[in-house]
Amino acid sequence: MKKNQSSTVFKQEISSGWQFRDALNDIWRPAAVPGCVHTDLLAECLIPDPCVGTNEHDIQWVGETDWVYQTHFVCTPELLEHENLELVFNGLDTYAKVYVNDSLLLSADNMFRQWRADATPMLKPGENKITLFFRNVFDETIPKYNAAPFELQALPNNDQGEPRVAMYSRKAQFHYGWDWGPRLVTCGIWKPIVLEAWDLFRITQVQIRQPETGPKEAIIATDLEIESTCDQTVAITITADTVTLCSVKQQLKRGRNAITLEGALRRPRLWWSNGLGAPYLYQYTAVVASEGGSRTDTYQSELGVRSLQIVREKDASGTSMYVLLNGVPVFMKGANYIPLDNFQNRVTHHRHELIVKSAAEANMNMLRVWGGGIFEDDSFYDLCDKYGILIWQDMLFACAMYPGDEAFLSSVKQEVIDNIRRIRNHASIALYCGNNENEAGWEQWGWKEQYSACERAAAESNLKKLYYETIPEALTIADSTRYYHPTSPSAGFESQGPEDGDIHYWGVWHGKEPFEQYEAHIARFVSEYGFQSYPELASIEKFSESEDREFDSTVMLSHQRCMADNRRDKRYGHRLIQTYMDRYFRKPKDFSSFLYVSQILQSLGVQTAAESHRRAMPYCMGSLYWQLNDCWPVASWSSIDYYGKWKALHYAAKKFFAPVLIAPKIEEDSVKFHIVSDEPESVWGDVSIVLREFSGKILFVTTYPVTMRANTSRVCATLPKHELLGTADERRVVLVSRFTTLAGLKAENFSYFVPPKDLELEVPAYTITSKPMKNGFELSIFSSTLAKHVHLTCPDVDGFFSDNYFDLLPNEIKTLTFATDQKNIREIERKIRVVSLIDSY
Ligand code: BMA
């Protein structure tokens, strides 16, 4: 703002002096706002840490209790002189009555909505009191559940306990429990409360659209909504960096004014997804100024200039599903994202950045914000813009049937409008999706068979109303520029095969099929597939005592939530890991070896899937594994654990999602060497194929010159197995495939002819040397025999290895970094531990 200018809008966050109490108790205790009741109780030592041991089960009463929050705030006479005074509640979880100076201001019943109310009649000069009564969700939902004409089905992974009432509340569904999450039904003021005072005019809505975007010019259209207290003339100026997009005088009427302004950016710097170019962001500003310019209101945001379509077109194979970014078809590499914590107030910008940056470092370009969680905080989408991560945004419905009454639908409509308006200006938002698996559940997984004809018709009508009427209507209001995908998976049904859209392939894991089946289940887009593993020992130590560290201890079982359909068999998830482990690996000798092998197993499975999806490009144009992260410490499908530790899978993802992939496929009689390039330009180089014994001896070498056109996948060589292997012992050889260009190594992959359990590994002797560098150390590691899945740890030192769980080839030095604040090189050298697969049995 320039000198002598003042804003027409004044905002004061009501964040201090908060107290809370149990509604049946008079003892007030200090509270943090924004926050939630669990973290307030935790801060007061009134509950134990829910992440530790089996504490979660002992604190179920918290979610069954009514809570009261209260604070006082001062209104100066000047504040009360403003023409308009509103209280804005950005997030109340969930059933709340809000009183100002003991008069009811509003009632809330949807965690995802923003609530605004005129506070003018209730506020007085001096001290004011605000009180919020939170009613427990069960008292609200159980009557609805009891009155419902039929029970709503839910999948077993939607592990919410009985009665199944989660679907009756517009509250994060994972709060009630999931197959990777605890049941912690929290409540409270989860987003800021703001007192907003304004005069003359204010900007109430901004939508930035890009009707035309090309390398020569981008047309930037801004739809502004300005609320005005009178008829007046204002000046509106819109800029992107230093370019003025438009500057106009505008006549406002009293009330709401909708204005569309356009401007052009010549030779715009485009926003690209990770791997294709810089995700350039313009600094966008819209300023509305009063006549004479002394009063202003300003909207600021970052603007990524790009065109983006989701192409759903009939073609020779079926119906396509791919992202076209700035005219380029882009294969989506990524994962499904769940909330980072059960308690959102514990999620900081730093934690968001760690996860989004980790996704980018693993060469991902898309995350799917899954429907059982929340619409994320602004900071998350800002970071996705910054790191070039496209977002598939689900609406918040997952793995269940939902009501379809008017009150429910109108609440959903408003929640969608509120949130989409908030996030629509982010370049990263690629598409919206109606729900997770709710149609598959209905059509495919036996839900509809549970009902009489009449109930079935009613349930089907609920589904149609929600995902085909209410949500699209809300999106038309909030953002009609993005593609809407009514449900995921959209394909893989009898009526619509995998050649027509996206699938969730769970034959591996839930269906117990072998990893090789991933190669047979490829669709136009694979939006879910995955395999579980345990967190590393250091993470498990944070929530367990040493006597708990057995897989069937109560504590470990409580941190493994995958159960069979009947939800009774608590050992089911662990047993599934074990079944697969028996198939591919030797029996781990102890608890910590099992943890380690579980991670290797997971990475092997997911790598098999992702490589086959990428080989099938352009038929298949997306591979999002389940799941990127965790919301508490648990055995799960994640590649990064709750504490931010990369599992073996995340290190593997960095390789199998690399811009250029060499992915040999070992078939019955031959090996096919596939190369996949996501590079925007052609790449030339040599493919070298080397067969080596574990002891280092080279048995076979060949090279081919290869040119890979931009954005293609092809087989660059096929070798008969007998030619390649000769008389070699399959259990003692590694096939090293490398693609090298003038600029250096572009891609490499190490393949084996037998499953890991049949490999005849030898005990490696490592030589490790280290040298200090900025922010840590460079480590070089060498062995004269192949070491499989080398796992480096540095106990008690906070740090990050740039690579881990890798295969160390015989007689080749592997160099990596260990980023840490610790400066003492001797100490690090002393502490570093190395294990590999041979140490696990
Ligand atoms: C998927 C998801 C989640 C679940 C996962 C593993 O289909 O949609 O509901 O956690 O399966 O079971």
Side-chain angles (χ1 to χ4, degrees), residues 126-146:
E127 197 165 76
N128 289 268
K129 183 170 78 173
I130 181 165
T131 315
L132 291 94
F133 287 87
F134 286 92
R135 192 150 185 240
N136 79 79
V137 293
F138 301 102
D139 283 355
E140 291 282 343
T141 52
I142 289 175
K144 289 188 182 141
Y145 170 88
N146 289 335

Side-chain angles (χ1 to χ4, degrees), residues 157 178-180 370 399 436-437 504 506 510 528 626 637:
N157 51 9
W178 216 267
D179 62 358
W180 35 256
W370 167 79
C399 304
N436 177 72
E437 298 183 345
H504 294 185
W506 284 102
H510 291 296
E528 270 188 27
W626 183 270
W637 298 263

Side-chain angles (χ1 to χ4, degrees), residues 454-479:
C454 173
E455 290 168 345
R456 198 186 279 197
E460 213 148 45
S461 144
N462 287 350
L463 185 150
K464 290 272 172 306
K465 278 193 266 181
L466 188 51
Y467 311 119
Y468 293 86
E469 291 167 25
T470 303
I471 293 173
E473 273 166 32
L475 290 174
T476 311
I477 295 168
D479 181 12

Side-chain angles (χ1 to χ4, degrees), residues 9 94 330 439 523 588 752 824:
V9 183
T94 288
V330 189
E439 257 180 81
Y752 300 84
N824 186 335

Side-chain angles (χ1 to χ4, degrees), residues 115-302:
W115 306 88
R116 281 177 178 269
D118 179 8
T120 333
M122 291 178 187
L123 294 176
K124 53 178 200 247
E127 197 165 76
N128 289 268
K129 183 170 78 173
I130 181 165
T131 315
L132 291 94
F133 287 87
F134 286 92
R135 192 150 185 240
N136 79 79
V137 293
F138 301 102
D139 283 355
E140 291 282 343
T141 52
I142 289 175
K144 289 188 182 141
Y145 170 88
N146 289 335
F150 47 83
E151 185 164 2
L152 303 176
Q153 303 294 314
L155 294 178
N157 51 9
N158 177 341
D159 184 21
Q160 53 180 287
E162 300 291 339
R164 285 188 255 169
V165 293
M167 302 79 101
Y168 292 97
S169 62
R170 291 314 296 144
K171 171 173 175 65
Q173 300 286 283
F174 82 107
H175 282 180
Y176 294 85
W178 216 267
D179 62 358
W180 35 256
R183 179 177 170 86
L184 292 168
V185 188
T186 195
C187 81
I189 304 162
W190 74 294
K191 290 193 177 193
I193 300 180
V194 180
L195 180 61
E196 202 172 299
W198 64 280
D199 306 302
L200 285 179
F201 55 81
R202 64 169 172 178
I203 301 171
T204 45
Q205 297 296 334
V206 181
Q207 180 171 19
I208 311 167
R209 290 179 293 111
Q210 301 176 30
E212 278 165 50
T213 309
K216 290 206 179 116
E217 189 178 68
I219 305 294
I220 308 296
T222 303
D223 297 327
L224 274 174
E225 190 189 83
I226 305 173
E227 195 172 359
S228 174
T229 55
C230 57
D231 292 354
Q232 58 183 315
T233 308
V234 291
I236 305 176
T237 311
I238 298 179
T239 52
D241 288 354
T242 52
V243 181
T244 301
L245 292 172
C246 62
S247 178
V248 293
K249 286 245 178 309
Q250 180 77 39
Q251 190 60 43
L252 298 182
K253 294 189 309 303
R254 178 162 190 243
R256 299 206 171 215
N257 297 263
I259 300 152
T260 295
L261 298 169
E262 276 192 4
L265 271 176
R266 287 192 38 77
R267 303 217 164 272
R269 290 182 67 177
L270 297 179
W271 183 94
W272 288 99
S273 59
N274 186 30
L276 287 189
Y280 185 75
L281 293 168
Y282 285 86
Q283 297 304 316
Y284 171 100
T285 311
V287 182
V288 181
S290 61
E291 263 194 318
S294 62
R295 306 291 306 275
T296 58
D297 190 17
T298 304
Y299 171 88
Q300 276 176 317
S301 116
E302 286 178 322

